[in-house]
């Protein structure tokens, strides 16, 4: 029997990306059903198997929809979308700690609530920074530099995933 | 699987952070940057907590021997676990074992102590407890060690001693020192008679009242108190009925083993010599002996009884003179009835404890007509009734096991009958 804590977590995994996707609606561009349904399907798959790579699919579709649906504005609804996406991710992380039948203890949940709140602080910070810089004259080559930095960071992070093994 | 591996959540955070940043920069969408920002932070923090050494996992149980219904704790020992924040344990589901937490899945922060599993075997026998998979996670759950499969630890589960007590004396005590009244005179406490004084009699045995009345010294004689030999014969040829552990329905083997343990404990505590013969695949046996260590040997053997057909010679019980033979059996095997009848004819005090559960039903194999199986089972029970009636007619009492006082009446009758002269076949 699946404990209540796992059911709640998996519900958040399912609903997080869907809510993040639907937040483009109040911002001015409702997603069509043929986008919402696949995201819900991917969310359901992630809820069923939070340890599988499929779980990233729903988040990627949300990012893609936010990219193509809106202009270069930064609506306040993106704050809700970012928090929902983060909540779905953290719920999946907690659900993947063990088998479906494993209940989650209170201490672990509280720890991750604190961590989630700390990480979520970056959302309003990023939103405020983006809003402050919005409309500033563009520096020549800034986007190229940004893409190059992102690529370097991604490659470095991927290389770092390989664990250093010690002779212990 | 062992060694540290990146978790799916780390991969997800890296992908969302990288793709989000790329989309924001390439397409010039600052809103996507806001969406990706927390994942950038998450990925960075997770990578900072990369593990640098491999931990070692060890687990052990608090007990190697248990009684059915009692519990033990499986504890995990981690060495080199500086990089570990969270521990997950997923135990197997061995039959007749109750686990807490329910299902045997438990996890927790290492800082709050290693999570423990409580296990309680519900049926006697050999059990493999503590078999599990263990997974360890780094802080922020970026890396997972395992799951590492941990083998179980074999545990002997002793049968619980059913409540049993008896005040009946043994029919043919023939030993040295014990609590059973013997037929011969000795230094016991039970009055045998009063006779004239003989040279060698102790002065404290003189009965002054009779001596004064008769004018000659008379002494009180008493019956000796001796131990007796009790041979427990356990029928392990087949198990009939359903076993639901110590709290539920009992199969014939459950009743047999628990009754044998209870009778053995009672007689050992009374100072008698107890032996055990198992008629079954394992042919376990324990010779005559007394004391707590001997009782433990008997319980150990009962816990390892293997059910199945016995080979040649398994019915040679080695009955000694003066022993009481207690046969614990569902009496569905012809050979057991034959042995009981043969020993009774030889003048051995034999007592059959019927351990067939009243609601026992045959296990119907696939492809067999249930109606046919039911008919065969009824016929078998009729044959069994005939065997039991014949045994009773021969003078071998048959009683159903019902706990305390089960054997009292028949043991008293056997004791009375043992004092009468009779002809036996050799």
């Amino acid at each position: 029997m699946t404990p209540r804590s796992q059911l709640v977590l998996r519900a958040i995994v399912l609903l997080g990306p869907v809510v993040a996707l639907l937040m483009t609606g109040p911002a001015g561009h409702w997603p069509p059903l043929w986008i919402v349904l696949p995201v819900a399907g991917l969310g359901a798959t992630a809820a069923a198997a939070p340890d599988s790579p499929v779980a990233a699919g729903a988040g990627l579709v949300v990012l893609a929809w936010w990219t193509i649906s809106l202009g270069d504005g930064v609506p306040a609804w993106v704050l809700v979308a970012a928090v929902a996406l983060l909540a779905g991710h953290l719920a999946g992380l907690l659900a993947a700690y063990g088998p479906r039948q494993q209940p989650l203890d209170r201490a672990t949940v509280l720890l991750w609530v604190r961590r989630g709140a700390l990480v979520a602080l970056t959302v309003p910070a990023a939103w405020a920074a983006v809003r402050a810089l919005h409309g500033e004259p563009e520096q020549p080559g800034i986007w190229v530099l940004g893409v190059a930095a992102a690529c370097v960071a991604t490659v470095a992070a991927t290389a770092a995933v390989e664990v250093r093994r010690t002779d212990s | 699987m062992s060694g540290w591996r990146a978790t799916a959540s780390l991969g997800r955070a890296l992908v969302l952070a990288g793709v989000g940043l790329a989309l924001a920069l390439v397409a010039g969408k600052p809103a996507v940057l806001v969406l990706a920002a927390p994942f950038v932070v998450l990925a960075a923090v997770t990578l900072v907590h990369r593990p640098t050494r491999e931990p070692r996992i060890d687990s052990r149980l608090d007990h190697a021997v248990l009684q059915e219904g009692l519990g033990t704790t499986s504890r995990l020992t981690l060495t080199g676990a500086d990089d570990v924040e969270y521990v997950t344990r997923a135990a197997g589901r061995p039959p007749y074992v109750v686990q807490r937490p329910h299902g045997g899945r438990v996890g927790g922060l290492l800082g709050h102590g290693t999570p423990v599993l409580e296990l309680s075997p519900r049926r006697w026998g050999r059990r493999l407890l503590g078999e599990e998979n263990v997974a360890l996670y780094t802080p922020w759950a970026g890396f997972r060690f395992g799951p590492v499969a941990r083998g179980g630890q074999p545990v002997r589960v002793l049968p619980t001693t059913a409540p049993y007590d008896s005040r009946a004396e043994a029919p043919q005590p023939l030993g040295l020192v014990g609590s059973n009244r013997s037929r011969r005179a000795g230094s016991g406490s039970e009055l045998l008679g009063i006779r004239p004084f003989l040279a060698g009699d102790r002065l404290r045995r003189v009965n002054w009242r009779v001596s004064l009345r008769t004018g000659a010294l008379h002494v009180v004689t008493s019956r000796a108190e001796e131990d007796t030999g009790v041979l427990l014969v356990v029928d392990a040829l087949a198990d009939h009925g359903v076993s639901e552990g110590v709290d539920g329905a009992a199969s014939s083997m459950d009743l047999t083993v628990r009754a044998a343990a209870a009778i053995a404990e009672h007689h050992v505590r009374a100072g008698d010599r107890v032996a055990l013969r198992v008629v079954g695949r394992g042919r376990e046996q324990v010779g005559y002996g007394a004391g707590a260590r001997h009782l433990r040997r008997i319980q150990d053997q009962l816990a390892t009884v293997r059910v199945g057909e016995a080979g040649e010679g398994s019915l040679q019980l080695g009955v000694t003179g003066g022993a009481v033979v207690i046969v614990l059996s569902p009496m569905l095997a012809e050979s057991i009835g034959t042995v009981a009848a043969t020993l009774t004819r030889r003048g051995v005090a034999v007592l059959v404890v019927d351990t067939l559960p009243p609601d026992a039903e045959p296990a119907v194999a696939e492809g067999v007509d249930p109606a046919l199986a039911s008919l065969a089972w009824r016929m078998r029970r009729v044959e069994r009734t005939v065997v039991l009636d014949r045994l009773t007619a021969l003078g071998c009492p048959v009683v159903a096991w019902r706990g305390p006082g089960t054997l009292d009446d028949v043991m008293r009758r056997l004791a009375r009958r043992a004092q009468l002269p009779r002809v036996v076949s050799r």
Side-chain angles (χ1 to χ4, degrees), chain B residues 92-104:
Chain B
R93 295 186 177 187
Y96 300 112
V97 175
V98 173
Q99 300 172 328
R100 194 163 68 183
H102 184 69

Side-chain angles (χ1 to χ4, degrees), chain A residues 67 70 97 115 165-166, chain B residues 25 29 52 54 85 88 144:
Chain A
T67 306
L70 297 178
Y97 260 146
R115 284 179 176 175
R165 294 184 188 278
T166 56
Chain B
L25 296 176
K29 299 292 174 116
T52 53
E54 289 200 356
E85 181 189 64
T88 294
R144 184 178 69 197

Side-chain angles (χ1 to χ4, degrees), chain B residues 335-381:
Chain B
S335 52
I336 298 292
T338 308
V339 166
T342 308
L343 289 174
T344 306
R345 283 201 192 98
R346 280 174 47 193
V348 177
V350 182
L351 193 158
V352 173
V353 178
D354 179 10
T355 56
L356 184 69
D359 53 351
E361 292 288 338
V364 182
E366 201 166 331
V368 176
D369 183 7
L372 198 64
S374 175
L375 177 65
W377 179 247
R378 286 207 305 275
M379 289 172 65
R380 191 71 199 90
R381 290 194 73 133

Side-chain angles (χ1 to χ4, degrees), chain A residues 5-118:
Chain A
S5 56
Q6 284 283 351
L7 289 175
V8 171
L9 287 174
R10 284 158 200 261
I12 296 172
V13 173
L14 167 64
L15 294 176
V18 177
V19 170
L21 184 75
L22 292 176
M23 283 305 107
T24 56
H29 203 285
W30 286 97
L33 201 61
W34 59 268
I35 292 278
V36 177
L37 286 179
V39 169
L42 287 167
T45 310
D51 208 14
S52 74
V54 182
L60 288 176
V61 176
V62 171
L63 291 181
W65 178 248
W66 271 89
T67 306
I68 60 176
S69 65
L70 297 178
D72 60 350
V74 191
W77 293 103
V78 76
L79 295 171
V80 182
V83 171
L85 208 56
L86 178 65
H89 170 75
L90 293 182
L93 179 151
L94 281 169
Y97 260 146
R100 185 169 48 85
Q101 300 87 355
Q102 180 183 317
L104 220 62
D105 60 298
R106 184 182 166 82
T108 307
V109 173
L110 288 176
L111 173 72
W112 277 100
V113 166
R114 284 198 301 273
R115 284 179 176 175
L118 270 176

Side-chain angles (χ1 to χ4, degrees), chain B residues 61 93-95 97 119 126-131 151-155 157:
Chain B
L61 296 175
R93 295 186 177 187
V97 175
L119 309 162
R126 286 192 182 113
R127 304 265 167 247
L128 197 65
L129 301 184
E131 205 170 15
Q153 186 176 321
V155 173
V157 184

